[in-house]
Amino acid sequence: MDIAALKADLAGIKVEDNPAIVQQKSRDFYWYSPVLKAQLEHVTADLVVSPKTESELISVLKACYRLGIPVTPRGTGTGNYGQAMPLSGGVVLSLADMNEIRVIAPGRVVTGPGAVISEIDKAARAHSAQELRIHPSTYHTASIGGFIAGGSGGVGSINWGGLRDFGNIIRLRVVTMEEEPRILELTGEDLHKVTHAYGTNGIISEVEMPLTAAYDWVDVIVGFDTFMDAARYGNALGLQDGLLTKLISPIAAPAPFTYFKRHQKFFRDGQSICLVTVAPHSLDAFLAFTRRWGAEIVFNAVTETDLKGLPPNFELSWNHTTLRALRVDPAITYLQVLYPFPHQIERIEKIHALIGDEMIGHLEFVRFDGNVTCFGLPMIRYTTEERLEEIIRLHEENGCPIFNPHRYTLEEGGMKQTDEIQLAFKREADPKGLLNPGKMIAWENPAYDYKSGKLFLFKGLQQAG
């Protein structure tokens, strides 16, 4: 790769070639997985390029296309399985400087891809008491473009479902990787061409997202003697249509007492919990519902006098749960599981009884195809890759699909299939295959045919075959 020629072509655009910084910007949280840690430890780009405008972005893509240099787009690098790591070297395209918040209007916001999610909410709240519907637990660091390209759902999914669902993204502006890059405006069905595609088939240059009413959300933590008690309570709470919640996260002992160090004083050793975030106007009714269950309120942000140093509930949930476990026990890893409706409680109970203490339960209640069910992000006491694969097999044999966080390809993670429409769009928008190479198996290996026949996280536009 002629990096010197590329630098000359990019005069006036921000570039970084310091090897230590380039390596740091070439990484995400891949080390959550001991499997990926071994596979991706060596991965680094040759150069980091940071356009500030769409015209600079187009200049970068034109130059890289002419020189045949791979381009791996990146937001702020908060992904967990190597989605934005440059397997073929070349350029890491940092979109963090394309962070303008351009329009806030009733029910919608328009931003650059690099806008940090918490900053979008801050602006929308100040402008018109609105906020984004869904955000990841990396709220204060994740960019909106990175969330769309690599995420699936998060805090708020108990009300709104995931990014896969119609209406949760309004419009994307995308730049193609061609001799003369085109600018495409995608809406409706076409959005699925680039959502959760890891930037393999176009670079997002503008995002339009729906907004909803903002509230001064209240964090509450409910204590239970057993994980299944917490799970049943979380499921029942999710079904209470009159209670407005934003987060319902049952977590098994010993995680709360052992891993949530700043909250440890609120828990008993051996206690399971359910993290809840509730709208203030629903708080009294929520507390009445919880009393009816005979459950114990161990933390209530409204009545607690000293909140200094305590992270919000969302920073104990989703992938932050695993992060806090890893800080205490580096041998912990995790899985991503769907417990399909309507048998989610029975399947949770069965799989946890089958695997035992090797797996620490962690659920996130969501709406999935309109039904309340839950994802699992259980913490696994890792021993060997072979045992990890056996645990995955046990889940799938018992009706619990795994979206494998120990794989960096689209087909093995959230898609669970070859998406032929995304593949066709890549052929159109990235004919040389220079965008984030190595992440789409169907592109790298045209003979590949991944047909799981099972539930998958992203519906895609057309099943393979």
Side-chain angles (χ1 to χ4, degrees), residues 157-292:
S157 286
I158 184 58
N159 295 315
W160 298 102
L163 294 174
R164 68 197 284 274
D165 294 311
F166 283 117
N168 281 335
I169 303 168
I170 298 173
R171 177 181 59 87
L172 295 175
R173 189 172 166 96
V174 174
V175 182
T176 64
M177 181 65 161
E178 301 174 88
E179 185 176 4
E180 292 295 334
R182 290 171 294 145
I183 297 170
L184 307 176
E185 297 274 353
L186 304 182
T187 60
E189 195 90 53
D190 287 340
L191 289 167
H192 296 293
K193 293 176 178 177
V194 294
T195 55
H196 203 77
Y198 302 176
T200 56
N201 55 11
I203 304 299
I204 297 169
S205 64
E206 186 173 83
V207 173
E208 185 171 356
M209 297 292 282
L211 297 175
T212 187
Y215 297 99
D216 294 325
W217 297 95
V218 178
D219 284 340
V220 182
I221 304 177
V222 187
F224 297 89
D225 291 333
T226 73
F227 174 57
M228 286 312 303
D229 287 342
R232 291 186 181 94
Y233 166 87
N235 192 74
L237 178 59
L239 293 171
Q240 294 296 307
D241 290 335
L243 296 179
L244 182 54
T245 55
K246 196 174 184 180
L247 182 76
I248 303 174
S249 312
I251 301 171
F257 185 83
T258 305
Y259 301 145
F260 298 168
K261 293 298 188 183
R262 293 184 183 180
H263 283 81
Q264 189 180 62
K265 62 185 177 182
F266 300 105
F267 308 138
R268 299 189 308 274
D269 193 5
Q271 188 174 46
S272 295
I273 64 169
C274 186
L275 304 168
V276 180
T277 299
V278 60
H281 60 266
S282 286
L283 181 61
D284 288 341
F286 160 77
L287 293 173
F289 170 83
T290 302
R291 283 193 295 272
R292 183 175 289 181

Side-chain angles (χ1 to χ4, degrees), residues 56-108:
E56 287 191 354
L57 169 61
I58 290 169
S59 296
V60 174
L61 296 179
K62 279 184 76 167
C64 289
Y65 184 89
R66 182 177 67 81
L67 294 166
I69 293 174
V71 173
T72 300
R74 165 192 164 100
T76 52
T78 60
N80 293 333
Y81 27 92
Q83 303 107 305
M85 292 183 66
L87 301 184
S88 300
V91 165
V92 160
L93 182 70
S94 172
L95 300 168
D97 290 342
M98 294 179 64
N99 58 6
E100 182 185 1
I101 298 171
R102 295 167 185 153
V103 177
I104 300 172
R108 66 189 186 90

Side-chain angles (χ1 to χ4, degrees), residues 288-311:
F289 170 83
T290 302
R291 283 193 295 272
R292 183 175 289 181
W293 266 78
E296 176 189 1
I297 300 291
V298 296
F299 173 82
N300 181 340
V302 169
T303 57
E304 181 59 36
T305 56
D306 184 13
L307 299 175
K308 186 178 179 181
L310 293 179

Side-chain angles (χ1 to χ4, degrees), residues 32 68 109 141 143 150 158 185 226 316 373 382 384 404 427 456:
Y32 272 39
V109 62
T141 52
S143 69
I158 184 58
E185 297 274 353
T226 73
L316 302 175
T373 188
Y382 182 77
T384 65
N404 197 338
R427 293 190 184 112
F456 39 87

